[in-house]
Amino acid sequence: MKTTSAIALGFIAAASAQPARLTARSEAGSSGCGKAHNSGFNSNPDSHTITSGGRTRTYAVRVPDGYNDDKNKPRKIIFDFHGRNGSPESQYKNSQYDKYDAGKEYIGVYPAGVNESWQGAPYAVEGVDDVLFVKDLLAQMRQEYCIDDDHVYASGKSNGGGFVDTLACSDEGDEFAAFAMASAALYDDTSKDRCNKKRAILEAHGGNDTTIPYGGGPTSSGGNVPDIDQWVTWWGERDGCTANDESTTQHDGYETTTFACEGLRAVVKHYKINNLGHCWPSSTGDNSDGSRSYCKDHSLDFTPRVLDFFSKWNSTNAPKN
Ligand SMILES: *[C@@H]1O[C@H](CO)[C@@H](O)[C@H](O)[C@H]1NC(C)=O
Ligand SMILES: *[C@@H]1O[C@H](CO)[C@@H](O)[C@H](O)[C@H]1NC(C)=O
Ligand SMILES: *[C@@H]1O[C@H](CO)[C@@H](O)[C@H](O)[C@H]1NC(C)=O
């Protein structure tokens, strides 16, 4: 009896030390646990719609193999956002998470942008609140699937990558443990003061990107984007690091820059792929971007780097304000 009450007291003490948001979340649990889903990629809009901000939105889901063998097992989840004029399916085939063992464990959710674009870019459809869409969709995913709230992540390419940054800068970003982007179109993050969130951030950018130029400035879409090296430094500073916490290493065809501070492992990590264009970096070119003429540089395979980065962050150890 004594042991039982000691455990109970310890449990209450631990629970009350949690922020209110986390307590409410874990009490609610993921009500989708126990529901059956076919494994594999499913983009059927009839079964994947949600009303958000007064619009009907659609998305695709990739369900891990053997999901129904353990319908009550909480699953890690990645929200993966396509680029301008892309689709859930094109992004699924671009990041190819399920090609890698570590990626097979995740539920992948692939939201579709309104007019194939995302909030924050000059060509985005006016008045669309994609941050609200993500909030509503995460709630719906928790109702339909068994979601591990401690392991929720976001990734995206180009306009979808720029939106991942917008999400990171929002309060809704608190739900996510880490953020990854490829050739991010950072129209919505052109000054350090734009954002005061501490986040785990990963980006890869081609040194020969002519759509979202590495050095920043105006783009052919009529907006302005930041110099990528400068933007990486902003995130280091937002996370509380100083210039002394920055290190850069050269590799064959690319360089890696990291910020590691406050006892944290690399909280900001960046890959510059010298001769790559506007692409999701792949070592084989068998992804959606692989056929593009400017995506022929294969020095870096980005997807396993994203999975490795995500594996290091969760709701407990993610940087917080
Ligand atoms: C949708 O995108 C096309 C070009 O891709 C553009 O011409 C059109 O104005 C856009 N529609 C809206 C509602 O913004
Ligand atoms: C850089 O991109 C341009 C335009 O896409 C292309 O013509 C050129 O060959 C590329 N350079 C390298 C070194 O890949
Ligand atoms: C988060 O990761 C740390 C290791 O960095 C681990 O000790 C901790 O148990 C993890 N928390 C959750 C909720 O997974």
Side-chain angles (χ1 to χ4, degrees):
M1 290 307 283
K2 219 170 190 174
T3 316
T4 310
S5 57
I7 289 170
L9 278 173
F11 188 78
I12 289 163
S16 61
Q18 294 285 320
R21 178 181 61 81
L22 290 178
T23 308
R25 207 169 51 168
S26 49
E27 274 167 8
S30 184
S31 59
C33 296
K35 293 188 183 175
H37 291 282
N38 292 333
S39 296
F41 182 77
N42 186 342
S43 59
N44 181 358
D46 295 336
S47 50
H48 297 101
T49 60
I50 182 171
T51 302
S52 175
R55 290 170 192 274
T56 300
R57 305 292 302 262
T58 63
Y59 55 97
V61 179
R62 189 253 161 197
V63 176
D65 296 341
Y67 184 88
N68 290 340
D69 297 342
D70 196 350
K71 299 191 287 282
N72 287 299
K73 178 183 171 185
R75 309 285 178 155
K76 302 183 280 190
I77 184 169
I78 301 174
F79 279 65
D80 195 13
F81 299 88
H82 64 74
R84 185 187 190 187
N85 298 330
S87 67
E89 186 158 22
S90 72
Q91 183 56 23
Y92 166 67
K93 291 181 172 166
N94 222 6
S95 51
Q96 300 182 305
Y97 287 118
D98 57 358
K99 191 176 137 182
Y100 303 86
D101 282 346
K104 292 185 204 293
E105 296 173 27
Y106 289 83
I107 290 177
V109 57
Y110 304 86
V114 175
N115 209 18
E116 300 171 338
S117 62
W118 299 102
Q119 174 186 339
Y123 43 78
V125 178
E126 217 175 301
V128 174
D129 188 342
D130 284 315
V131 172
L132 176 65
F133 172 38
V134 168
K135 182 186 165 89
D136 292 341
L137 182 53
L138 178 54
Q140 175 150 310
M141 292 303 293
R142 285 174 175 145
Q143 281 170 22
E144 295 297 322
Y145 299 83
C146 197
I147 304 298
D148 174 354
D149 285 331
D150 293 321
H151 298 91
V152 179
Y153 304 91
S155 65
K157 192 221 159 182
S158 188
N159 181 205
F163 176 66
V164 166
D165 186 79
T166 296
L167 186 62
C169 286
S170 74
D171 291 342
E172 181 61 16
D174 290 354
E175 300 288 333
F176 293 76
F179 303 82
M181 303 153 237
S183 47
L186 298 160
Y187 294 107
D188 193 28
D189 194 1
T190 55
S191 74
K192 189 193 151 194
D193 298 338
R194 155 69 177 90
C195 181
N196 64 359
K197 301 294 187 188
K198 292 184 187 295
R199 304 292 188 207
I201 297 285
L202 174 69
E203 207 251 2
H205 213 103
N208 192 32
D209 189 333
T210 54
T211 306
I212 304 296
Y214 196 93
T219 75
S220 56
S221 303
N224 267 289
V225 290
D227 174 87
I228 295 297
D229 288 334
Q230 203 167 42
W231 170 83
V232 170
T233 304
W234 294 339
W235 271 115
E237 291 171 358
R238 289 166 183 169
D239 284 330
C241 302
T242 67
N244 290 337
D245 302 314
E246 181 181 7
S247 60
T248 298
T249 51
Q250 302 296 330
H251 308 269
D252 204 7
Y254 67 97
E255 65 177 43
T256 311
T257 299
T258 59
F259 277 90
C261 61
E262 294 178 348
L264 296 171
R265 71 219 79 194
V267 68
V268 178
K269 193 155 192 171
H270 190 258
Y271 297 102
K272 177 182 185 182
I273 304 102
N274 301 326
N275 293 328
L276 189 67
H278 189 63
C279 316
W280 183 282
S282 160
S283 61
T284 58
D286 65 350
N287 63 343
S288 302
D289 278 350
S291 57
R292 299 179 194 271
S293 60
Y294 47 80
C295 297
K296 301 298 180 203
D297 183 301
H298 298 314
S299 2
L300 181 80
D301 210 22
F302 189 46
T303 299
R305 306 305 176 106
V306 173
L307 290 165
D308 180 63
F309 191 73
F310 286 173
S311 75
K312 294 185 161 58
W313 300 104
N314 59 50
S315 63
T316 309
N317 68 7
K320 287 191 178 62
N321 288 72

